[in-house]
Amino acid sequence: MHPDFVWWNGERRPWDECTIHVTELGWSTVGAVFEGIRAYMGDSGDELHIFRLQEHLERLERSMRLVRLRLDYSLDQISAATTDLLRANEIREDTYIRPLAYAADTSGKRFAQIGLDAALLINTSPMASHLKTGITQTAKVSSWRRISEDVMPPRVKNLSNYRNSQLAGMEARLDGYDTAILLNQQGKVSEGPGACLMLISRNQIVTPDIGSGILESITRDALIVVLREVLGLEVVEREVDRTELYLADEVFTCGTAAEVTPVVSIDKYDVGAGTIGPVTHALETAFDDILRGRDARYAHWRTPVQVATPAAV
Ligand SMILES: Cc1ncc(COP(=O)(O)O)c(C=O)c1O
């Protein structure tokens, strides 16, 4: 299954017309950057809510700047293209939106080119929410260390960063765990392969700070606000030691794809009672209310998109 349309280089186009030549394979994606954005279906069934679209597009702009790709569109244009695409694809389910910026026309070139044209693609695909489904994860502290500022830029969504994530994720799964937790070069806790991490210890929420080699996560930023404002809890951003993971009362990963995913054991230590803890449980509910448009306090985080209701039969 694929959507009817993608947005590619300034136009909405039929999905099957959007091809590139096989000789473009290779260097084009080494310098690529991307975004991962979610749209959630509201309870009425005729309105999607894109979560923090503006913040994601601002991060795309920062990522492109860092890898020296020129952005030829305003964020308003990309925002309008995204909402148009959701409507054109007649989307009526929870959806993942992936803008991808990459160097175009790399055929026959090598990796150190400067000033290549940037291509920009926006693709949509279904992605159901797993909030409040009872899903849990087991985790392993990876033998791979998280990339650091002196090697690669961890805070932006640079596609090449994900080789590091992939190695850690594959190792964890082959060893029988669901996911990995990576330490940084200093041996402090950093994040998961595609998600940030928070732990709860004695009623305080602790999350590795931006300097710990994490992506500048938009979900993590939102959850810090929700934990403080909705659940009235104290949140601290600081360096986190490995031992703290093993002694925590609750641990969860967070991110656009991860949403809030409880981690119930780490390196075979049960986290708390080895089940979903009360704070994580409450956070899943509060976050779901925000994502689906039930909580009016956070309307500024949502871009509503009206999608036609299918004709009654
Ligand atoms: C490596 C990594 N860390 C953290 C996150 C969470 O970031 P965000 O909340 O902006 O999706 C992601 C993406 O989801 C990621 O790929």
Side-chain angles (χ1 to χ4, degrees), residues 9-35:
N9 298 331
E11 282 175 69
R12 164 155 57 81
R13 303 186 196 193
W15 182 91
D16 48 7
E17 284 176 18
C18 293
T19 57
I20 57 169
H21 195 266
V22 68
T23 55
E24 293 287 332
L25 269 181
W27 297 124
S28 60
T29 49
V30 167
V33 295
F34 71 109
E35 266 310 317

PDB file of all heavy atoms in Angstrom, residues 9-35:
ATOM      1  N   ASN A   9       9.807  18.300  -4.484  1.00  0.00           N
ATOM      2  CA  ASN A   9      10.424  19.466  -5.123  1.00  0.00           C
ATOM      3  C   ASN A   9       9.411  20.506  -5.607  1.00  0.00           C
ATOM      4  O   ASN A   9       9.430  20.927  -6.756  1.00  0.00           O
ATOM      5  CB  ASN A   9      11.324  19.010  -6.283  1.00  0.00           C
ATOM      6  CG  ASN A   9      12.446  18.128  -5.775  1.00  0.00           C
ATOM      7  OD1 ASN A   9      12.880  18.267  -4.632  1.00  0.00           O
ATOM      8  ND2 ASN A   9      12.907  17.212  -6.603  1.00  0.00           N
ATOM      9  N   GLY A  10       8.522  20.864  -4.700  1.00  0.00           N
ATOM     10  CA  GLY A  10       7.651  21.993  -4.996  1.00  0.00           C
ATOM     11  C   GLY A  10       6.269  21.643  -5.522  1.00  0.00           C
ATOM     12  O   GLY A  10       5.451  22.536  -5.724  1.00  0.00           O
ATOM     13  N   GLU A  11       6.016  20.375  -5.766  1.00  0.00           N
ATOM     14  CA  GLU A  11       4.704  20.008  -6.328  1.00  0.00           C
ATOM     15  C   GLU A  11       4.160  18.740  -5.686  1.00  0.00           C
ATOM     16  O   GLU A  11       4.935  17.834  -5.375  1.00  0.00           O
ATOM     17  CB  GLU A  11       4.848  19.647  -7.814  1.00  0.00           C
ATOM     18  CG  GLU A  11       4.983  20.771  -8.774  1.00  0.00           C
ATOM     19  CD  GLU A  11       5.244  20.212 -10.167  1.00  0.00           C
ATOM     20  OE1 GLU A  11       4.314  19.596 -10.739  1.00  0.00           O
ATOM     21  OE2 GLU A  11       6.377  20.343 -10.638  1.00  0.00           O
ATOM     22  N   ARG A  12       2.839  18.678  -5.584  1.00  0.00           N
ATOM     23  CA  ARG A  12       2.208  17.401  -5.246  1.00  0.00           C
ATOM     24  C   ARG A  12       2.143  16.579  -6.530  1.00  0.00           C
ATOM     25  O   ARG A  12       1.674  17.057  -7.553  1.00  0.00           O
ATOM     26  CB  ARG A  12       0.814  17.640  -4.675  1.00  0.00           C
ATOM     27  CG  ARG A  12      -0.028  16.396  -4.661  1.00  0.00           C
ATOM     28  CD  ARG A  12      -1.100  16.433  -3.619  1.00  0.00           C
ATOM     29  NE  ARG A  12      -2.015  17.553  -3.718  1.00  0.00           N
ATOM     30  CZ  ARG A  12      -3.066  17.610  -4.559  1.00  0.00           C
ATOM     31  NH1 ARG A  12      -3.293  16.639  -5.422  1.00  0.00           N
ATOM     32  NH2 ARG A  12      -3.863  18.660  -4.548  1.00  0.00           N
ATOM     33  N   ARG A  13       2.661  15.346  -6.471  1.00  0.00           N
ATOM     34  CA  ARG A  13       2.718  14.526  -7.691  1.00  0.00           C
ATOM     35  C   ARG A  13       2.235  13.114  -7.403  1.00  0.00           C
ATOM     36  O   ARG A  13       2.387  12.620  -6.279  1.00  0.00           O
ATOM     37  CB  ARG A  13       4.163  14.399  -8.183  1.00  0.00           C
ATOM     38  CG  ARG A  13       4.827  15.722  -8.436  1.00  0.00           C
ATOM     39  CD  ARG A  13       6.172  15.484  -9.039  1.00  0.00           C
ATOM     40  NE  ARG A  13       6.982  16.684  -8.951  1.00  0.00           N
ATOM     41  CZ  ARG A  13       8.113  16.863  -9.597  1.00  0.00           C
ATOM     42  NH1 ARG A  13       8.594  15.910 -10.358  1.00  0.00           N
ATOM     43  NH2 ARG A  13       8.788  17.972  -9.469  1.00  0.00           N
ATOM     44  N   PRO A  14       1.707  12.404  -8.440  1.00  0.00           N
ATOM     45  CA  PRO A  14       1.304  11.010  -8.243  1.00  0.00           C
ATOM     46  C   PRO A  14       2.503  10.171  -7.786  1.00  0.00           C
ATOM     47  O   PRO A  14       3.605  10.318  -8.320  1.00  0.00           O
ATOM     48  CB  PRO A  14       0.828  10.573  -9.633  1.00  0.00           C
ATOM     49  CG  PRO A  14       0.490  11.842 -10.331  1.00  0.00           C
ATOM     50  CD  PRO A  14       1.423  12.891  -9.787  1.00  0.00           C
ATOM     51  N   TRP A  15       2.257   9.327  -6.819  1.00  0.00           N
ATOM     52  CA  TRP A  15       3.311   8.520  -6.202  1.00  0.00           C
ATOM     53  C   TRP A  15       4.148   7.769  -7.243  1.00  0.00           C
ATOM     54  O   TRP A  15       5.380   7.769  -7.194  1.00  0.00           O
ATOM     55  CB  TRP A  15       2.637   7.517  -5.239  1.00  0.00           C
ATOM     56  CG  TRP A  15       3.564   6.640  -4.473  1.00  0.00           C
ATOM     57  CD1 TRP A  15       4.090   6.894  -3.234  1.00  0.00           C
ATOM     58  CD2 TRP A  15       4.053   5.347  -4.862  1.00  0.00           C
ATOM     59  NE1 TRP A  15       4.879   5.849  -2.839  1.00  0.00           N
ATOM     60  CE2 TRP A  15       4.871   4.881  -3.813  1.00  0.00           C
ATOM     61  CE3 TRP A  15       3.882   4.540  -5.983  1.00  0.00           C
ATOM     62  CZ2 TRP A  15       5.523   3.653  -3.853  1.00  0.00           C
ATOM     63  CZ3 TRP A  15       4.532   3.312  -6.037  1.00  0.00           C
ATOM     64  CH2 TRP A  15       5.340   2.886  -4.979  1.00  0.00           C
ATOM     65  N   ASP A  16       3.476   7.137  -8.229  1.00  0.00           N
ATOM     66  CA  ASP A  16       4.223   6.264  -9.140  1.00  0.00           C
ATOM     67  C   ASP A  16       5.012   7.025 -10.207  1.00  0.00           C
ATOM     68  O   ASP A  16       5.806   6.431 -10.922  1.00  0.00           O
ATOM     69  CB  ASP A  16       3.318   5.186  -9.769  1.00  0.00           C
ATOM     70  CG  ASP A  16       2.039   5.758 -10.315  1.00  0.00           C
ATOM     71  OD1 ASP A  16       1.925   6.996 -10.317  1.00  0.00           O
ATOM     72  OD2 ASP A  16       1.169   4.973 -10.737  1.00  0.00           O
ATOM     73  N   GLU A  17       4.835   8.332 -10.272  1.00  0.00           N
ATOM     74  CA  GLU A  17       5.661   9.112 -11.219  1.00  0.00           C
ATOM     75  C   GLU A  17       6.951   9.601 -10.566  1.00  0.00           C
ATOM     76  O   GLU A  17       7.814  10.151 -11.243  1.00  0.00           O
ATOM     77  CB  GLU A  17       4.879  10.334 -11.706  1.00  0.00           C
ATOM     78  CG  GLU A  17       3.817   9.994 -12.723  1.00  0.00           C
ATOM     79  CD  GLU A  17       3.001  11.233 -13.097  1.00  0.00           C
ATOM     80  OE1 GLU A  17       3.457  12.371 -12.842  1.00  0.00           O
ATOM     81  OE2 GLU A  17       1.897  11.023 -13.623  1.00  0.00           O
ATOM     82  N   CYS A  18       7.069   9.395  -9.256  1.00  0.00           N
ATOM     83  CA  CYS A  18       8.218   9.974  -8.546  1.00  0.00           C
ATOM     84  C   CYS A  18       9.343   8.956  -8.409  1.00  0.00           C
ATOM     85  O   CYS A  18       9.462   8.248  -7.406  1.00  0.00           O
ATOM     86  CB  CYS A  18       7.781  10.486  -7.177  1.00  0.00           C
ATOM     87  SG  CYS A  18       6.675  11.875  -7.349  1.00  0.00           S
ATOM     88  N   THR A  19      10.164   8.874  -9.426  1.00  0.00           N
ATOM     89  CA  THR A  19      11.280   7.923  -9.414  1.00  0.00           C
ATOM     90  C   THR A  19      12.578   8.682  -9.653  1.00  0.00           C
ATOM     91  O   THR A  19      12.583   9.752 -10.258  1.00  0.00           O
ATOM     92  CB  THR A  19      11.120   6.868 -10.525  1.00  0.00           C
ATOM     93  OG1 THR A  19      11.027   7.549 -11.784  1.00  0.00           O
ATOM     94  CG2 THR A  19       9.874   6.021 -10.316  1.00  0.00           C
ATOM     95  N   ILE A  20      13.687   8.092  -9.197  1.00  0.00           N
ATOM     96  CA  ILE A  20      14.999   8.642  -9.538  1.00  0.00           C
ATOM     97  C   ILE A  20      15.843   7.520 -10.123  1.00  0.00           C
ATOM     98  O   ILE A  20      15.562   6.341  -9.885  1.00  0.00           O
ATOM     99  CB  ILE A  20      15.719   9.294  -8.330  1.00  0.00           C
ATOM    100  CG1 ILE A  20      15.898   8.315  -7.176  1.00  0.00           C
ATOM    101  CG2 ILE A  20      14.991  10.527  -7.856  1.00  0.00           C
ATOM    102  CD1 ILE A  20      16.815   8.845  -6.092  1.00  0.00           C
ATOM    103  N   HIS A  21      16.865   7.868 -10.849  1.00  0.00           N
ATOM    104  CA  HIS A  21      17.666   6.850 -11.516  1.00  0.00           C
ATOM    105  C   HIS A  21      18.519   6.072 -10.515  1.00  0.00           C
ATOM    106  O   HIS A  21      18.983   6.619  -9.518  1.00  0.00           O
ATOM    107  CB  HIS A  21      18.567   7.505 -12.578  1.00  0.00           C
ATOM    108  CG  HIS A  21      19.110   6.483 -13.514  1.00  0.00           C
ATOM    109  ND1 HIS A  21      20.337   5.873 -13.335  1.00  0.00           N
ATOM    110  CD2 HIS A  21      18.554   5.911 -14.614  1.00  0.00           C
ATOM    111  CE1 HIS A  21      20.521   4.997 -14.303  1.00  0.00           C
ATOM    112  NE2 HIS A  21      19.458   4.993 -15.094  1.00  0.00           N
ATOM    113  N   VAL A  22      18.732   4.775 -10.813  1.00  0.00           N
ATOM    114  CA  VAL A  22      19.467   3.898  -9.900  1.00  0.00           C
ATOM    115  C   VAL A  22      20.891   4.397  -9.642  1.00  0.00           C
ATOM    116  O   VAL A  22      21.455   4.170  -8.570  1.00  0.00           O
ATOM    117  CB  VAL A  22      19.450   2.442 -10.447  1.00  0.00           C
ATOM    118  CG1 VAL A  22      20.272   2.311 -11.731  1.00  0.00           C
ATOM    119  CG2 VAL A  22      19.900   1.446  -9.392  1.00  0.00           C
ATOM    120  N   THR A  23      21.470   5.125 -10.592  1.00  0.00           N
ATOM    121  CA  THR A  23      22.843   5.615 -10.381  1.00  0.00           C
ATOM    122  C   THR A  23      22.896   6.717  -9.324  1.00  0.00           C
ATOM    123  O   THR A  23      23.969   7.122  -8.898  1.00  0.00           O
ATOM    124  CB  THR A  23      23.447   6.147 -11.698  1.00  0.00           C
ATOM    125  OG1 THR A  23      22.569   7.149 -12.228  1.00  0.00           O
ATOM    126  CG2 THR A  23      23.642   5.041 -12.716  1.00  0.00           C
ATOM    127  N   GLU A  24      21.740   7.183  -8.901  1.00  0.00           N
ATOM    128  CA  GLU A  24      21.705   8.167  -7.815  1.00  0.00           C
ATOM    129  C   GLU A  24      21.898   7.510  -6.447  1.00  0.00           C
ATOM    130  O   GLU A  24      22.089   8.186  -5.443  1.00  0.00           O
ATOM    131  CB  GLU A  24      20.371   8.918  -7.811  1.00  0.00           C
ATOM    132  CG  GLU A  24      20.146   9.815  -9.001  1.00  0.00           C
ATOM    133  CD  GLU A  24      20.999  11.073  -8.941  1.00  0.00           C
ATOM    134  OE1 GLU A  24      21.336  11.514  -7.843  1.00  0.00           O
ATOM    135  OE2 GLU A  24      21.337  11.584 -10.023  1.00  0.00           O
ATOM    136  N   LEU A  25      21.788   6.176  -6.411  1.00  0.00           N
ATOM    137  CA  LEU A  25      21.957   5.454  -5.145  1.00  0.00           C
ATOM    138  C   LEU A  25      23.361   5.684  -4.603  1.00  0.00           C
ATOM    139  O   LEU A  25      24.328   5.608  -5.344  1.00  0.00           O
ATOM    140  CB  LEU A  25      21.806   3.946  -5.372  1.00  0.00           C
ATOM    141  CG  LEU A  25      20.427   3.321  -5.220  1.00  0.00           C
ATOM    142  CD1 LEU A  25      20.514   1.826  -5.453  1.00  0.00           C
ATOM    143  CD2 LEU A  25      19.877   3.606  -3.833  1.00  0.00           C
ATOM    144  N   GLY A  26      23.449   5.919  -3.325  1.00  0.00           N
ATOM    145  CA  GLY A  26      24.783   6.045  -2.749  1.00  0.00           C
ATOM    146  C   GLY A  26      24.929   7.332  -1.987  1.00  0.00           C
ATOM    147  O   GLY A  26      24.278   7.532  -0.973  1.00  0.00           O
ATOM    148  N   TRP A  27      25.740   8.246  -2.482  1.00  0.00           N
ATOM    149  CA  TRP A  27      26.094   9.429  -1.700  1.00  0.00           C
ATOM    150  C   TRP A  27      24.917  10.333  -1.384  1.00  0.00           C
ATOM    151  O   TRP A  27      24.948  11.076  -0.412  1.00  0.00           O
ATOM    152  CB  TRP A  27      27.168  10.249  -2.423  1.00  0.00           C
ATOM    153  CG  TRP A  27      28.452   9.509  -2.592  1.00  0.00           C
ATOM    154  CD1 TRP A  27      29.109   9.261  -3.758  1.00  0.00           C
ATOM    155  CD2 TRP A  27      29.249   8.916  -1.562  1.00  0.00           C
ATOM    156  NE1 TRP A  27      30.247   8.545  -3.534  1.00  0.00           N
ATOM    157  CE2 TRP A  27      30.363   8.312  -2.190  1.00  0.00           C
ATOM    158  CE3 TRP A  27      29.132   8.825  -0.186  1.00  0.00           C
ATOM    159  CZ2 TRP A  27      31.344   7.641  -1.489  1.00  0.00           C
ATOM    160  CZ3 TRP A  27      30.111   8.142   0.525  1.00  0.00           C
ATOM    161  CH2 TRP A  27      31.199   7.554  -0.128  1.00  0.00           C
ATOM    162  N   SER A  28      23.871  10.301  -2.212  1.00  0.00           N
ATOM    163  CA  SER A  28      22.759  11.228  -1.988  1.00  0.00           C
ATOM    164  C   SER A  28      22.229  11.140  -0.557  1.00  0.00           C
ATOM    165  O   SER A  28      21.901  12.151   0.049  1.00  0.00           O
ATOM    166  CB  SER A  28      21.629  10.953  -2.977  1.00  0.00           C
ATOM    167  OG  SER A  28      21.168   9.641  -2.818  1.00  0.00           O
ATOM    168  N   THR A  29      22.169   9.929  -0.016  1.00  0.00           N
ATOM    169  CA  THR A  29      21.565   9.809   1.315  1.00  0.00           C
ATOM    170  C   THR A  29      22.564  10.004   2.458  1.00  0.00           C
ATOM    171  O   THR A  29      22.149  10.180   3.600  1.00  0.00           O
ATOM    172  CB  THR A  29      20.867   8.446   1.492  1.00  0.00           C
ATOM    173  OG1 THR A  29      21.764   7.441   1.080  1.00  0.00           O
ATOM    174  CG2 THR A  29      19.590   8.386   0.690  1.00  0.00           C
ATOM    175  N   VAL A  30      23.855   9.971   2.183  1.00  0.00           N
ATOM    176  CA  VAL A  30      24.830  10.198   3.256  1.00  0.00           C
ATOM    177  C   VAL A  30      24.638  11.581   3.868  1.00  0.00           C
ATOM    178  O   VAL A  30      24.748  11.761   5.070  1.00  0.00           O
ATOM    179  CB  VAL A  30      26.273  10.022   2.726  1.00  0.00           C
ATOM    180  CG1 VAL A  30      27.285  10.566   3.716  1.00  0.00           C
ATOM    181  CG2 VAL A  30      26.547   8.557   2.478  1.00  0.00           C
ATOM    182  N   GLY A  31      24.309  12.541   3.041  1.00  0.00           N
ATOM    183  CA  GLY A  31      24.120  13.909   3.544  1.00  0.00           C
ATOM    184  C   GLY A  31      22.671  14.265   3.775  1.00  0.00           C
ATOM    185  O   GLY A  31      22.350  15.420   3.991  1.00  0.00           O
ATOM    186  N   ALA A  32      21.787  13.268   3.722  1.00  0.00           N
ATOM    187  CA  ALA A  32      20.357  13.573   3.851  1.00  0.00           C
ATOM    188  C   ALA A  32      19.978  13.855   5.301  1.00  0.00           C
ATOM    189  O   ALA A  32      20.596  13.334   6.233  1.00  0.00           O
ATOM    190  CB  ALA A  32      19.527  12.408   3.322  1.00  0.00           C
ATOM    191  N   VAL A  33      18.977  14.680   5.465  1.00  0.00           N
ATOM    192  CA  VAL A  33      18.389  14.920   6.784  1.00  0.00           C
ATOM    193  C   VAL A  33      16.882  14.755   6.640  1.00  0.00           C
ATOM    194  O   VAL A  33      16.351  14.846   5.532  1.00  0.00           O
ATOM    195  CB  VAL A  33      18.732  16.321   7.333  1.00  0.00           C
ATOM    196  CG1 VAL A  33      20.217  16.460   7.591  1.00  0.00           C
ATOM    197  CG2 VAL A  33      18.241  17.424   6.394  1.00  0.00           C
ATOM    198  N   PHE A  34      16.209  14.500   7.738  1.00  0.00           N
ATOM    199  CA  PHE A  34      14.779  14.247   7.620  1.00  0.00           C
ATOM    200  C   PHE A  34      14.038  14.701   8.864  1.00  0.00           C
ATOM    201  O   PHE A  34      14.641  15.135   9.836  1.00  0.00           O
ATOM    202  CB  PHE A  34      14.519  12.760   7.329  1.00  0.00           C
ATOM    203  CG  PHE A  34      14.788  11.831   8.483  1.00  0.00           C
ATOM    204  CD1 PHE A  34      13.741  11.203   9.144  1.00  0.00           C
ATOM    205  CD2 PHE A  34      16.082  11.575   8.927  1.00  0.00           C
ATOM    206  CE1 PHE A  34      13.971  10.337  10.214  1.00  0.00           C
ATOM    207  CE2 PHE A  34      16.324  10.720   9.996  1.00  0.00           C
ATOM    208  CZ  PHE A  34      15.266  10.099  10.634  1.00  0.00           C
ATOM    209  N   GLU A  35      12.739  14.571   8.798  1.00  0.00           N
ATOM    210  CA  GLU A  35      11.877  14.798   9.957  1.00  0.00           C
ATOM    211  C   GLU A  35      10.915  13.629  10.074  1.00  0.00           C
ATOM    212  O   GLU A  35      10.584  12.981   9.072  1.00  0.00           O
ATOM    213  CB  GLU A  35      11.076  16.097   9.810  1.00  0.00           C
ATOM    214  CG  GLU A  35      11.734  17.290  10.445  1.00  0.00           C
ATOM    215  CD  GLU A  35      12.168  17.049  11.881  1.00  0.00           C
ATOM    216  OE1 GLU A  35      11.402  16.452  12.656  1.00  0.00           O
ATOM    217  OE2 GLU A  35      13.282  17.449  12.241  1.00  0.00           O
TER     218      GLU A  35
END
